[in-house]
Amino acid sequence: ININISSSSSGNCSNMRRIIAEDLDWSLATVSSLSNLSLQCIVNNFEERPIYEELTSSEKDFIQNRVSLSLPLHFAANVFPDGVYWKRCCEQKWKVCDVSNYGESWKRMFFERQLENIIELFVPGITEPKTVLDMVTLCKDHIKKLNIAQLLPPVKEPQTEDEEQASELTLANDDDKSGMDHFDFRILLDKLTNLEELHLVYKVKSCGMNFEWSMFEMTNWDCESLAKALKSCKTLKLFRLHLSHLEDKKCRLLVKYLLDHPSLRTLDFSHNVIGDSGARAIGKLLTKSKLEILNLYDNNIGGPGAKAIAHALSKNTTLVSLNLCLNRLKDEGGQAICKALLNNKTLLHLQLGANGVTWLTVLSLSSMLAQNNTLKSINLSCNTLGEVGGNALEEAMSHNTSVTECNIHLTDIEEQRVSVINQMVWNNQFRKQETNPREKNTENAN
């Protein structure tokens, strides 16, 4: 506060002196109101005497902004709804907090990331399952999505030379546990009654010099326990299992338990080693489920497997997106998929990039495009289509009005013909926007 002092001299001149307080924030207005003092008293004694529900909205905000973040989690979970308290908890624990990925709910973000962290650091045989179950009791109503970025195997005890030789003799037994089984999802998924998305990868993030291939794959026991857990989770809409060395036998087992799943709409088995046998099982799944999105990117599916998927596709009425990029379909599989679409009226997006298909597949595709007015996007990139394929595709696109995306990069089609095909695709886009101005406005806003 500034205080001015004036003194008069005999010459009637006034000298001004100013005294400046050392505390720049000092003010008469800093005395808190009685209500704020009372609220601060509640904050200071909140754990012993919690008073919250009786307060007004503004008073609750006051409490959430000031109460200690060291409150026991079981206590805070039951007292505070979604709000400032959980925002403070998240920002204290993690540097990056994008709440838009969690439905704008800070409480959901906190519990989802907390549970993910517990599962990712769970060491079978050492970590007590009670650690997970105690957390589930608190957070089960708030978990909608889990993204598990690693699953740790048990800690291996040092072995003597005789024990190593004995373990090598029993390693070939498929039914025997190899000592590398991971977290058992059966203790968790049936309790998460609001879970809609599950993303899994069986790998170890930082294994260093302890690298073993078994750290980057699931065991037979892992697969069976996961399959049973998935079946028990009736609310699951999206399941993604990638980079986990999922082969045919395990794929068939997982599919067996997903055949009658009531809510599953998206299945992502990308970056695995699924072959024709696993693809046949997935074909069966397409005939019995209500899948809308199927992603099999980067697997080992060949012509026979693609034929099985094509057979199911010809009868399917729910699938809208199929990604088979980076497989081994060749023309046998590519032609089968294209012919199946003559009878399919629901698929909107088809990706066949990097599959070794040639102009023979494009001929089948061209025949299909002449009759199919549903398909909107096609990916044929990284295939050798050549001049014949380019001619066939140009002819087909000249009569098609539904395809608004067509990726033909690195296909050996001459540049002039690529430009002509792209112009036809753009014309379809323009006609679609003119027909659906609302969709056009949405795209412009984005």
Side-chain angles (χ1 to χ4, degrees), residues 95-130:
K95 291 182 179 180
V96 179
C97 296
D98 187 356
V99 73
S100 65
N101 293 328
Y102 300 86
E104 304 297 335
S105 170
W106 291 100
K107 190 171 185 179
R108 176 186 160 192
M109 175 194 282
F110 179 84
F111 280 119
E112 284 187 2
R113 295 182 71 168
Q114 190 79 351
L115 184 57
E116 288 168 356
N117 186 62
I118 291 174
I119 295 173
E120 289 176 357
L121 298 179
F122 187 96
V123 181
I126 295 180
T127 308
E128 290 293 332
K130 188 176 183 296

PDB file of all heavy atoms in Angstrom, residues 95-130:
ATOM      1  N   LYS A  95       2.300 -36.073 -18.155  1.00  0.00           N
ATOM      2  CA  LYS A  95       2.621 -34.807 -18.812  1.00  0.00           C
ATOM      3  C   LYS A  95       1.619 -34.484 -19.916  1.00  0.00           C
ATOM      4  O   LYS A  95       1.263 -33.336 -20.121  1.00  0.00           O
ATOM      5  CB  LYS A  95       4.039 -34.872 -19.393  1.00  0.00           C
ATOM      6  CG  LYS A  95       5.132 -34.906 -18.339  1.00  0.00           C
ATOM      7  CD  LYS A  95       6.504 -34.918 -18.991  1.00  0.00           C
ATOM      8  CE  LYS A  95       7.614 -34.929 -17.945  1.00  0.00           C
ATOM      9  NZ  LYS A  95       8.972 -34.944 -18.559  1.00  0.00           N
ATOM     10  N   VAL A  96       1.216 -35.521 -20.677  1.00  0.00           N
ATOM     11  CA  VAL A  96       0.278 -35.321 -21.783  1.00  0.00           C
ATOM     12  C   VAL A  96      -1.095 -35.839 -21.372  1.00  0.00           C
ATOM     13  O   VAL A  96      -1.250 -37.025 -21.063  1.00  0.00           O
ATOM     14  CB  VAL A  96       0.757 -36.041 -23.055  1.00  0.00           C
ATOM     15  CG1 VAL A  96      -0.247 -35.840 -24.184  1.00  0.00           C
ATOM     16  CG2 VAL A  96       2.139 -35.541 -23.469  1.00  0.00           C
ATOM     17  N   CYS A  97      -2.075 -34.973 -21.381  1.00  0.00           N
ATOM     18  CA  CYS A  97      -3.429 -35.341 -20.961  1.00  0.00           C
ATOM     19  C   CYS A  97      -4.442 -34.806 -21.979  1.00  0.00           C
ATOM     20  O   CYS A  97      -4.903 -33.661 -21.859  1.00  0.00           O
ATOM     21  CB  CYS A  97      -3.746 -34.789 -19.571  1.00  0.00           C
ATOM     22  SG  CYS A  97      -2.714 -35.459 -18.253  1.00  0.00           S
ATOM     23  N   ASP A  98      -4.772 -35.611 -22.959  1.00  0.00           N
ATOM     24  CA  ASP A  98      -5.760 -35.220 -23.970  1.00  0.00           C
ATOM     25  C   ASP A  98      -7.105 -35.836 -23.600  1.00  0.00           C
ATOM     26  O   ASP A  98      -7.400 -36.981 -23.939  1.00  0.00           O
ATOM     27  CB  ASP A  98      -5.305 -35.690 -25.350  1.00  0.00           C
ATOM     28  CG  ASP A  98      -6.198 -35.161 -26.465  1.00  0.00           C
ATOM     29  OD1 ASP A  98      -7.206 -34.505 -26.142  1.00  0.00           O
ATOM     30  OD2 ASP A  98      -5.891 -35.405 -27.649  1.00  0.00           O
ATOM     31  N   VAL A  99      -7.907 -35.077 -22.925  1.00  0.00           N
ATOM     32  CA  VAL A  99      -9.171 -35.599 -22.408  1.00  0.00           C
ATOM     33  C   VAL A  99     -10.177 -35.892 -23.517  1.00  0.00           C
ATOM     34  O   VAL A  99     -11.148 -36.635 -23.308  1.00  0.00           O
ATOM     35  CB  VAL A  99      -9.757 -34.608 -21.373  1.00  0.00           C
ATOM     36  CG1 VAL A  99     -10.302 -33.368 -22.070  1.00  0.00           C
ATOM     37  CG2 VAL A  99     -10.824 -35.266 -20.511  1.00  0.00           C
ATOM     38  N   SER A 100      -9.945 -35.343 -24.718  1.00  0.00           N
ATOM     39  CA  SER A 100     -10.862 -35.602 -25.824  1.00  0.00           C
ATOM     40  C   SER A 100     -10.859 -37.079 -26.225  1.00  0.00           C
ATOM     41  O   SER A 100     -11.822 -37.553 -26.830  1.00  0.00           O
ATOM     42  CB  SER A 100     -10.503 -34.738 -27.031  1.00  0.00           C
ATOM     43  OG  SER A 100      -9.220 -35.091 -27.551  1.00  0.00           O
ATOM     44  N   ASN A 101      -9.791 -37.796 -25.907  1.00  0.00           N
ATOM     45  CA  ASN A 101      -9.729 -39.232 -26.200  1.00  0.00           C
ATOM     46  C   ASN A 101     -10.500 -40.065 -25.198  1.00  0.00           C
ATOM     47  O   ASN A 101     -10.571 -41.297 -25.339  1.00  0.00           O
ATOM     48  CB  ASN A 101      -8.268 -39.701 -26.227  1.00  0.00           C
ATOM     49  CG  ASN A 101      -7.488 -39.103 -27.382  1.00  0.00           C
ATOM     50  OD1 ASN A 101      -8.047 -38.856 -28.443  1.00  0.00           O
ATOM     51  ND2 ASN A 101      -6.204 -38.859 -27.177  1.00  0.00           N
ATOM     52  N   TYR A 102     -11.046 -39.421 -24.196  1.00  0.00           N
ATOM     53  CA  TYR A 102     -11.752 -40.134 -23.131  1.00  0.00           C
ATOM     54  C   TYR A 102     -13.155 -39.573 -22.920  1.00  0.00           C
ATOM     55  O   TYR A 102     -13.659 -39.556 -21.799  1.00  0.00           O
ATOM     56  CB  TYR A 102     -10.940 -40.044 -21.824  1.00  0.00           C
ATOM     57  CG  TYR A 102      -9.563 -40.646 -21.949  1.00  0.00           C
ATOM     58  CD1 TYR A 102      -8.496 -39.893 -22.425  1.00  0.00           C
ATOM     59  CD2 TYR A 102      -9.329 -41.983 -21.624  1.00  0.00           C
ATOM     60  CE1 TYR A 102      -7.225 -40.450 -22.562  1.00  0.00           C
ATOM     61  CE2 TYR A 102      -8.065 -42.540 -21.756  1.00  0.00           C
ATOM     62  CZ  TYR A 102      -7.028 -41.774 -22.228  1.00  0.00           C
ATOM     63  OH  TYR A 102      -5.774 -42.340 -22.367  1.00  0.00           O
ATOM     64  N   GLY A 103     -13.765 -39.136 -24.005  1.00  0.00           N
ATOM     65  CA  GLY A 103     -15.122 -38.617 -23.900  1.00  0.00           C
ATOM     66  C   GLY A 103     -15.233 -37.394 -23.033  1.00  0.00           C
ATOM     67  O   GLY A 103     -16.280 -37.158 -22.404  1.00  0.00           O
ATOM     68  N   GLU A 104     -14.154 -36.577 -22.978  1.00  0.00           N
ATOM     69  CA  GLU A 104     -14.108 -35.351 -22.168  1.00  0.00           C
ATOM     70  C   GLU A 104     -14.285 -35.642 -20.674  1.00  0.00           C
ATOM     71  O   GLU A 104     -14.682 -34.756 -19.914  1.00  0.00           O
ATOM     72  CB  GLU A 104     -15.170 -34.332 -22.628  1.00  0.00           C
ATOM     73  CG  GLU A 104     -15.090 -33.963 -24.101  1.00  0.00           C
ATOM     74  CD  GLU A 104     -13.792 -33.265 -24.460  1.00  0.00           C
ATOM     75  OE1 GLU A 104     -13.186 -32.660 -23.568  1.00  0.00           O
ATOM     76  OE2 GLU A 104     -13.394 -33.343 -25.647  1.00  0.00           O
ATOM     77  N   SER A 105     -13.954 -36.845 -20.240  1.00  0.00           N
ATOM     78  CA  SER A 105     -14.103 -37.221 -18.824  1.00  0.00           C
ATOM     79  C   SER A 105     -12.730 -37.408 -18.197  1.00  0.00           C
ATOM     80  O   SER A 105     -11.991 -38.330 -18.562  1.00  0.00           O
ATOM     81  CB  SER A 105     -14.917 -38.514 -18.697  1.00  0.00           C
ATOM     82  OG  SER A 105     -14.870 -38.999 -17.360  1.00  0.00           O
ATOM     83  N   TRP A 106     -12.393 -36.561 -17.225  1.00  0.00           N
ATOM     84  CA  TRP A 106     -11.114 -36.666 -16.531  1.00  0.00           C
ATOM     85  C   TRP A 106     -11.071 -37.896 -15.630  1.00  0.00           C
ATOM     86  O   TRP A 106     -10.020 -38.534 -15.481  1.00  0.00           O
ATOM     87  CB  TRP A 106     -10.855 -35.407 -15.714  1.00  0.00           C
ATOM     88  CG  TRP A 106     -10.582 -34.206 -16.550  1.00  0.00           C
ATOM     89  CD1 TRP A 106     -11.453 -33.203 -16.869  1.00  0.00           C
ATOM     90  CD2 TRP A 106      -9.352 -33.878 -17.202  1.00  0.00           C
ATOM     91  NE1 TRP A 106     -10.850 -32.273 -17.681  1.00  0.00           N
ATOM     92  CE2 TRP A 106      -9.562 -32.655 -17.902  1.00  0.00           C
ATOM     93  CE3 TRP A 106      -8.103 -34.494 -17.270  1.00  0.00           C
ATOM     94  CZ2 TRP A 106      -8.558 -32.047 -18.638  1.00  0.00           C
ATOM     95  CZ3 TRP A 106      -7.096 -33.882 -18.006  1.00  0.00           C
ATOM     96  CH2 TRP A 106      -7.320 -32.678 -18.688  1.00  0.00           C
ATOM     97  N   LYS A 107     -12.182 -38.226 -15.031  1.00  0.00           N
ATOM     98  CA  LYS A 107     -12.213 -39.386 -14.138  1.00  0.00           C
ATOM     99  C   LYS A 107     -12.013 -40.667 -14.931  1.00  0.00           C
ATOM    100  O   LYS A 107     -11.293 -41.580 -14.521  1.00  0.00           O
ATOM    101  CB  LYS A 107     -13.547 -39.424 -13.382  1.00  0.00           C
ATOM    102  CG  LYS A 107     -13.578 -40.451 -12.253  1.00  0.00           C
ATOM    103  CD  LYS A 107     -14.838 -40.300 -11.408  1.00  0.00           C
ATOM    104  CE  LYS A 107     -14.797 -41.253 -10.199  1.00  0.00           C
ATOM    105  NZ  LYS A 107     -15.999 -41.100  -9.342  1.00  0.00           N
ATOM    106  N   ARG A 108     -12.641 -40.733 -16.100  1.00  0.00           N
ATOM    107  CA  ARG A 108     -12.448 -41.897 -16.967  1.00  0.00           C
ATOM    108  C   ARG A 108     -10.994 -42.005 -17.404  1.00  0.00           C
ATOM    109  O   ARG A 108     -10.411 -43.093 -17.394  1.00  0.00           O
ATOM    110  CB  ARG A 108     -13.366 -41.791 -18.186  1.00  0.00           C
ATOM    111  CG  ARG A 108     -13.160 -42.916 -19.187  1.00  0.00           C
ATOM    112  CD  ARG A 108     -13.971 -42.706 -20.451  1.00  0.00           C
ATOM    113  NE  ARG A 108     -13.435 -43.494 -21.552  1.00  0.00           N
ATOM    114  CZ  ARG A 108     -13.787 -43.347 -22.832  1.00  0.00           C
ATOM    115  NH1 ARG A 108     -14.687 -42.438 -23.169  1.00  0.00           N
ATOM    116  NH2 ARG A 108     -13.225 -44.097 -23.751  1.00  0.00           N
ATOM    117  N   MET A 109     -10.389 -40.868 -17.794  1.00  0.00           N
ATOM    118  CA  MET A 109      -8.982 -40.884 -18.194  1.00  0.00           C
ATOM    119  C   MET A 109      -8.098 -41.417 -17.066  1.00  0.00           C
ATOM    120  O   MET A 109      -7.230 -42.276 -17.284  1.00  0.00           O
ATOM    121  CB  MET A 109      -8.509 -39.481 -18.574  1.00  0.00           C
ATOM    122  CG  MET A 109      -7.003 -39.428 -18.872  1.00  0.00           C
ATOM    123  SD  MET A 109      -6.319 -37.760 -18.934  1.00  0.00           S
ATOM    124  CE  MET A 109      -6.862 -37.259 -20.536  1.00  0.00           C
ATOM    125  N   PHE A 110      -8.318 -40.927 -15.868  1.00  0.00           N
ATOM    126  CA  PHE A 110      -7.473 -41.332 -14.743  1.00  0.00           C
ATOM    127  C   PHE A 110      -7.561 -42.835 -14.511  1.00  0.00           C
ATOM    128  O   PHE A 110      -6.541 -43.522 -14.405  1.00  0.00           O
ATOM    129  CB  PHE A 110      -7.885 -40.582 -13.472  1.00  0.00           C
ATOM    130  CG  PHE A 110      -7.065 -40.964 -12.272  1.00  0.00           C
ATOM    131  CD1 PHE A 110      -5.834 -40.355 -12.038  1.00  0.00           C
ATOM    132  CD2 PHE A 110      -7.500 -41.941 -11.388  1.00  0.00           C
ATOM    133  CE1 PHE A 110      -5.064 -40.716 -10.935  1.00  0.00           C
ATOM    134  CE2 PHE A 110      -6.737 -42.312 -10.294  1.00  0.00           C
ATOM    135  CZ  PHE A 110      -5.523 -41.691 -10.070  1.00  0.00           C
ATOM    136  N   PHE A 111      -8.779 -43.367 -14.463  1.00  0.00           N
ATOM    137  CA  PHE A 111      -8.926 -44.781 -14.125  1.00  0.00           C
ATOM    138  C   PHE A 111      -8.511 -45.693 -15.277  1.00  0.00           C
ATOM    139  O   PHE A 111      -7.933 -46.768 -15.045  1.00  0.00           O
ATOM    140  CB  PHE A 111     -10.359 -45.073 -13.693  1.00  0.00           C
ATOM    141  CG  PHE A 111     -10.624 -44.686 -12.261  1.00  0.00           C
ATOM    142  CD1 PHE A 111     -11.578 -43.742 -11.939  1.00  0.00           C
ATOM    143  CD2 PHE A 111      -9.911 -45.281 -11.239  1.00  0.00           C
ATOM    144  CE1 PHE A 111     -11.815 -43.397 -10.621  1.00  0.00           C
ATOM    145  CE2 PHE A 111     -10.136 -44.940  -9.902  1.00  0.00           C
ATOM    146  CZ  PHE A 111     -11.085 -43.985  -9.599  1.00  0.00           C
ATOM    147  N   GLU A 112      -8.773 -45.299 -16.516  1.00  0.00           N
ATOM    148  CA  GLU A 112      -8.344 -46.131 -17.640  1.00  0.00           C
ATOM    149  C   GLU A 112      -6.823 -46.219 -17.703  1.00  0.00           C
ATOM    150  O   GLU A 112      -6.248 -47.308 -17.841  1.00  0.00           O
ATOM    151  CB  GLU A 112      -8.909 -45.588 -18.959  1.00  0.00           C
ATOM    152  CG  GLU A 112     -10.379 -45.897 -19.153  1.00  0.00           C
ATOM    153  CD  GLU A 112     -10.891 -45.506 -20.536  1.00  0.00           C
ATOM    154  OE1 GLU A 112     -10.083 -45.020 -21.366  1.00  0.00           O
ATOM    155  OE2 GLU A 112     -12.092 -45.673 -20.801  1.00  0.00           O
ATOM    156  N   ARG A 113      -6.160 -45.077 -17.564  1.00  0.00           N
ATOM    157  CA  ARG A 113      -4.698 -45.085 -17.644  1.00  0.00           C
ATOM    158  C   ARG A 113      -4.076 -45.753 -16.419  1.00  0.00           C
ATOM    159  O   ARG A 113      -3.026 -46.398 -16.517  1.00  0.00           O
ATOM    160  CB  ARG A 113      -4.182 -43.652 -17.823  1.00  0.00           C
ATOM    161  CG  ARG A 113      -4.608 -43.044 -19.149  1.00  0.00           C
ATOM    162  CD  ARG A 113      -4.077 -41.641 -19.368  1.00  0.00           C
ATOM    163  NE  ARG A 113      -2.639 -41.633 -19.608  1.00  0.00           N
ATOM    164  CZ  ARG A 113      -1.986 -40.557 -20.057  1.00  0.00           C
ATOM    165  NH1 ARG A 113      -2.653 -39.437 -20.326  1.00  0.00           N
ATOM    166  NH2 ARG A 113      -0.695 -40.593 -20.245  1.00  0.00           N
ATOM    167  N   GLN A 114      -4.711 -45.616 -15.292  1.00  0.00           N
ATOM    168  CA  GLN A 114      -4.208 -46.267 -14.075  1.00  0.00           C
ATOM    169  C   GLN A 114      -4.306 -47.782 -14.201  1.00  0.00           C
ATOM    170  O   GLN A 114      -3.361 -48.509 -13.868  1.00  0.00           O
ATOM    171  CB  GLN A 114      -5.026 -45.778 -12.867  1.00  0.00           C
ATOM    172  CG  GLN A 114      -4.456 -46.177 -11.519  1.00  0.00           C
ATOM    173  CD  GLN A 114      -3.299 -45.296 -11.078  1.00  0.00           C
ATOM    174  OE1 GLN A 114      -2.818 -44.478 -11.859  1.00  0.00           O
ATOM    175  NE2 GLN A 114      -2.838 -45.480  -9.864  1.00  0.00           N
ATOM    176  N   LEU A 115      -5.439 -48.270 -14.714  1.00  0.00           N
ATOM    177  CA  LEU A 115      -5.614 -49.719 -14.882  1.00  0.00           C
ATOM    178  C   LEU A 115      -4.676 -50.245 -15.966  1.00  0.00           C
ATOM    179  O   LEU A 115      -4.104 -51.335 -15.825  1.00  0.00           O
ATOM    180  CB  LEU A 115      -7.068 -50.024 -15.227  1.00  0.00           C
ATOM    181  CG  LEU A 115      -7.437 -51.509 -15.352  1.00  0.00           C
ATOM    182  CD1 LEU A 115      -7.114 -52.263 -14.059  1.00  0.00           C
ATOM    183  CD2 LEU A 115      -8.914 -51.674 -15.696  1.00  0.00           C
ATOM    184  N   GLU A 116      -4.507 -49.503 -17.057  1.00  0.00           N
ATOM    185  CA  GLU A 116      -3.560 -49.910 -18.102  1.00  0.00           C
ATOM    186  C   GLU A 116      -2.158 -50.059 -17.534  1.00  0.00           C
ATOM    187  O   GLU A 116      -1.441 -51.023 -17.840  1.00  0.00           O
ATOM    188  CB  GLU A 116      -3.557 -48.871 -19.230  1.00  0.00           C
ATOM    189  CG  GLU A 116      -4.815 -48.886 -20.089  1.00  0.00           C
ATOM    190  CD  GLU A 116      -4.909 -47.680 -21.002  1.00  0.00           C
ATOM    191  OE1 GLU A 116      -4.039 -46.791 -20.927  1.00  0.00           O
ATOM    192  OE2 GLU A 116      -5.868 -47.610 -21.798  1.00  0.00           O
ATOM    193  N   ASN A 117      -1.768 -49.112 -16.698  1.00  0.00           N
ATOM    194  CA  ASN A 117      -0.434 -49.142 -16.113  1.00  0.00           C
ATOM    195  C   ASN A 117      -0.243 -50.367 -15.210  1.00  0.00           C
ATOM    196  O   ASN A 117       0.814 -51.021 -15.233  1.00  0.00           O
ATOM    197  CB  ASN A 117      -0.195 -47.859 -15.310  1.00  0.00           C
ATOM    198  CG  ASN A 117       1.215 -47.750 -14.783  1.00  0.00           C
ATOM    199  OD1 ASN A 117       2.181 -47.698 -15.539  1.00  0.00           O
ATOM    200  ND2 ASN A 117       1.349 -47.728 -13.469  1.00  0.00           N
ATOM    201  N   ILE A 118      -1.269 -50.703 -14.441  1.00  0.00           N
ATOM    202  CA  ILE A 118      -1.183 -51.874 -13.553  1.00  0.00           C
ATOM    203  C   ILE A 118      -1.034 -53.152 -14.373  1.00  0.00           C
ATOM    204  O   ILE A 118      -0.218 -54.031 -14.050  1.00  0.00           O
ATOM    205  CB  ILE A 118      -2.430 -51.942 -12.643  1.00  0.00           C
ATOM    206  CG1 ILE A 118      -2.407 -50.804 -11.626  1.00  0.00           C
ATOM    207  CG2 ILE A 118      -2.509 -53.291 -11.923  1.00  0.00           C
ATOM    208  CD1 ILE A 118      -3.656 -50.709 -10.782  1.00  0.00           C
ATOM    209  N   ILE A 119      -1.806 -53.276 -15.453  1.00  0.00           N
ATOM    210  CA  ILE A 119      -1.745 -54.482 -16.289  1.00  0.00           C
ATOM    211  C   ILE A 119      -0.404 -54.576 -17.011  1.00  0.00           C
ATOM    212  O   ILE A 119       0.196 -55.650 -17.095  1.00  0.00           O
ATOM    213  CB  ILE A 119      -2.907 -54.494 -17.292  1.00  0.00           C
ATOM    214  CG1 ILE A 119      -4.245 -54.598 -16.556  1.00  0.00           C
ATOM    215  CG2 ILE A 119      -2.769 -55.656 -18.278  1.00  0.00           C
ATOM    216  CD1 ILE A 119      -5.456 -54.439 -17.459  1.00  0.00           C
ATOM    217  N   GLU A 120       0.091 -53.449 -17.516  1.00  0.00           N
ATOM    218  CA  GLU A 120       1.355 -53.451 -18.251  1.00  0.00           C
ATOM    219  C   GLU A 120       2.550 -53.789 -17.365  1.00  0.00           C
ATOM    220  O   GLU A 120       3.569 -54.290 -17.852  1.00  0.00           O
ATOM    221  CB  GLU A 120       1.572 -52.097 -18.924  1.00  0.00           C
ATOM    222  CG  GLU A 120       0.630 -51.847 -20.095  1.00  0.00           C
ATOM    223  CD  GLU A 120       0.786 -50.469 -20.708  1.00  0.00           C
ATOM    224  OE1 GLU A 120       1.605 -49.673 -20.189  1.00  0.00           O
ATOM    225  OE2 GLU A 120       0.089 -50.181 -21.690  1.00  0.00           O
ATOM    226  N   LEU A 121       2.440 -53.524 -16.073  1.00  0.00           N
ATOM    227  CA  LEU A 121       3.534 -53.820 -15.145  1.00  0.00           C
ATOM    228  C   LEU A 121       3.276 -55.084 -14.330  1.00  0.00           C
ATOM    229  O   LEU A 121       4.044 -55.406 -13.419  1.00  0.00           O
ATOM    230  CB  LEU A 121       3.760 -52.628 -14.206  1.00  0.00           C
ATOM    231  CG  LEU A 121       4.173 -51.308 -14.889  1.00  0.00           C
ATOM    232  CD1 LEU A 121       4.338 -50.207 -13.861  1.00  0.00           C
ATOM    233  CD2 LEU A 121       5.454 -51.483 -15.695  1.00  0.00           C
ATOM    234  N   PHE A 122       2.212 -55.799 -14.663  1.00  0.00           N
ATOM    235  CA  PHE A 122       1.856 -57.028 -13.943  1.00  0.00           C
ATOM    236  C   PHE A 122       2.843 -58.135 -14.316  1.00  0.00           C
ATOM    237  O   PHE A 122       3.022 -58.461 -15.492  1.00  0.00           O
ATOM    238  CB  PHE A 122       0.433 -57.438 -14.307  1.00  0.00           C
ATOM    239  CG  PHE A 122      -0.100 -58.590 -13.498  1.00  0.00           C
ATOM    240  CD1 PHE A 122      -0.887 -58.363 -12.389  1.00  0.00           C
ATOM    241  CD2 PHE A 122       0.198 -59.907 -13.848  1.00  0.00           C
ATOM    242  CE1 PHE A 122      -1.399 -59.414 -11.643  1.00  0.00           C
ATOM    243  CE2 PHE A 122      -0.300 -60.967 -13.105  1.00  0.00           C
ATOM    244  CZ  PHE A 122      -1.093 -60.721 -12.000  1.00  0.00           C
ATOM    245  N   VAL A 123       3.498 -58.721 -13.301  1.00  0.00           N
ATOM    246  CA  VAL A 123       4.443 -59.817 -13.517  1.00  0.00           C
ATOM    247  C   VAL A 123       3.825 -61.091 -12.948  1.00  0.00           C
ATOM    248  O   VAL A 123       3.672 -61.224 -11.729  1.00  0.00           O
ATOM    249  CB  VAL A 123       5.791 -59.542 -12.832  1.00  0.00           C
ATOM    250  CG1 VAL A 123       6.766 -60.700 -13.103  1.00  0.00           C
ATOM    251  CG2 VAL A 123       6.378 -58.229 -13.319  1.00  0.00           C
ATOM    252  N   PRO A 124       3.419 -62.028 -13.812  1.00  0.00           N
ATOM    253  CA  PRO A 124       2.805 -63.274 -13.325  1.00  0.00           C
ATOM    254  C   PRO A 124       3.712 -63.985 -12.327  1.00  0.00           C
ATOM    255  O   PRO A 124       4.917 -64.107 -12.534  1.00  0.00           O
ATOM    256  CB  PRO A 124       2.634 -64.103 -14.605  1.00  0.00           C
ATOM    257  CG  PRO A 124       2.573 -63.093 -15.704  1.00  0.00           C
ATOM    258  CD  PRO A 124       3.498 -61.991 -15.289  1.00  0.00           C
ATOM    259  N   GLY A 125       3.100 -64.416 -11.236  1.00  0.00           N
ATOM    260  CA  GLY A 125       3.861 -65.111 -10.211  1.00  0.00           C
ATOM    261  C   GLY A 125       4.453 -64.197  -9.167  1.00  0.00           C
ATOM    262  O   GLY A 125       4.897 -64.668  -8.110  1.00  0.00           O
ATOM    263  N   ILE A 126       4.487 -62.910  -9.430  1.00  0.00           N
ATOM    264  CA  ILE A 126       5.035 -61.942  -8.468  1.00  0.00           C
ATOM    265  C   ILE A 126       3.968 -60.939  -8.053  1.00  0.00           C
ATOM    266  O   ILE A 126       3.697 -60.755  -6.873  1.00  0.00           O
ATOM    267  CB  ILE A 126       6.265 -61.223  -9.059  1.00  0.00           C
ATOM    268  CG1 ILE A 126       7.397 -62.221  -9.291  1.00  0.00           C
ATOM    269  CG2 ILE A 126       6.719 -60.105  -8.122  1.00  0.00           C
ATOM    270  CD1 ILE A 126       8.642 -61.605  -9.874  1.00  0.00           C
ATOM    271  N   THR A 127       3.356 -60.277  -9.046  1.00  0.00           N
ATOM    272  CA  THR A 127       2.277 -59.326  -8.748  1.00  0.00           C
ATOM    273  C   THR A 127       1.035 -60.081  -8.317  1.00  0.00           C
ATOM    274  O   THR A 127       0.615 -61.039  -8.963  1.00  0.00           O
ATOM    275  CB  THR A 127       1.951 -58.469  -9.979  1.00  0.00           C
ATOM    276  OG1 THR A 127       3.154 -57.891 -10.490  1.00  0.00           O
ATOM    277  CG2 THR A 127       0.976 -57.371  -9.618  1.00  0.00           C
ATOM    278  N   GLU A 128       0.433 -59.655  -7.230  1.00  0.00           N
ATOM    279  CA  GLU A 128      -0.773 -60.293  -6.724  1.00  0.00           C
ATOM    280  C   GLU A 128      -1.981 -59.887  -7.575  1.00  0.00           C
ATOM    281  O   GLU A 128      -2.168 -58.686  -7.840  1.00  0.00           O
ATOM    282  CB  GLU A 128      -1.026 -59.898  -5.272  1.00  0.00           C
ATOM    283  CG  GLU A 128      -0.037 -60.478  -4.276  1.00  0.00           C
ATOM    284  CD  GLU A 128      -0.173 -61.981  -4.166  1.00  0.00           C
ATOM    285  OE1 GLU A 128      -1.293 -62.501  -4.392  1.00  0.00           O
ATOM    286  OE2 GLU A 128       0.834 -62.645  -3.870  1.00  0.00           O
ATOM    287  N   PRO A 129      -2.807 -60.840  -8.007  1.00  0.00           N
ATOM    288  CA  PRO A 129      -4.031 -60.493  -8.746  1.00  0.00           C
ATOM    289  C   PRO A 129      -4.923 -59.525  -7.980  1.00  0.00           C
ATOM    290  O   PRO A 129      -5.679 -58.760  -8.582  1.00  0.00           O
ATOM    291  CB  PRO A 129      -4.716 -61.851  -8.936  1.00  0.00           C
ATOM    292  CG  PRO A 129      -3.594 -62.847  -8.898  1.00  0.00           C
ATOM    293  CD  PRO A 129      -2.611 -62.294  -7.908  1.00  0.00           C
ATOM    294  N   LYS A 130      -4.816 -59.532  -6.645  1.00  0.00           N
ATOM    295  CA  LYS A 130      -5.616 -58.633  -5.821  1.00  0.00           C
ATOM    296  C   LYS A 130      -5.330 -57.163  -6.167  1.00  0.00           C
ATOM    297  O   LYS A 130      -6.215 -56.311  -6.026  1.00  0.00           O
ATOM    298  CB  LYS A 130      -5.308 -58.886  -4.344  1.00  0.00           C
ATOM    299  CG  LYS A 130      -6.215 -58.140  -3.369  1.00  0.00           C
ATOM    300  CD  LYS A 130      -5.895 -58.544  -1.938  1.00  0.00           C
ATOM    301  CE  LYS A 130      -6.851 -57.866  -0.970  1.00  0.00           C
ATOM    302  NZ  LYS A 130      -6.708 -56.388  -0.979  1.00  0.00           N
TER     303      LYS A 130
END
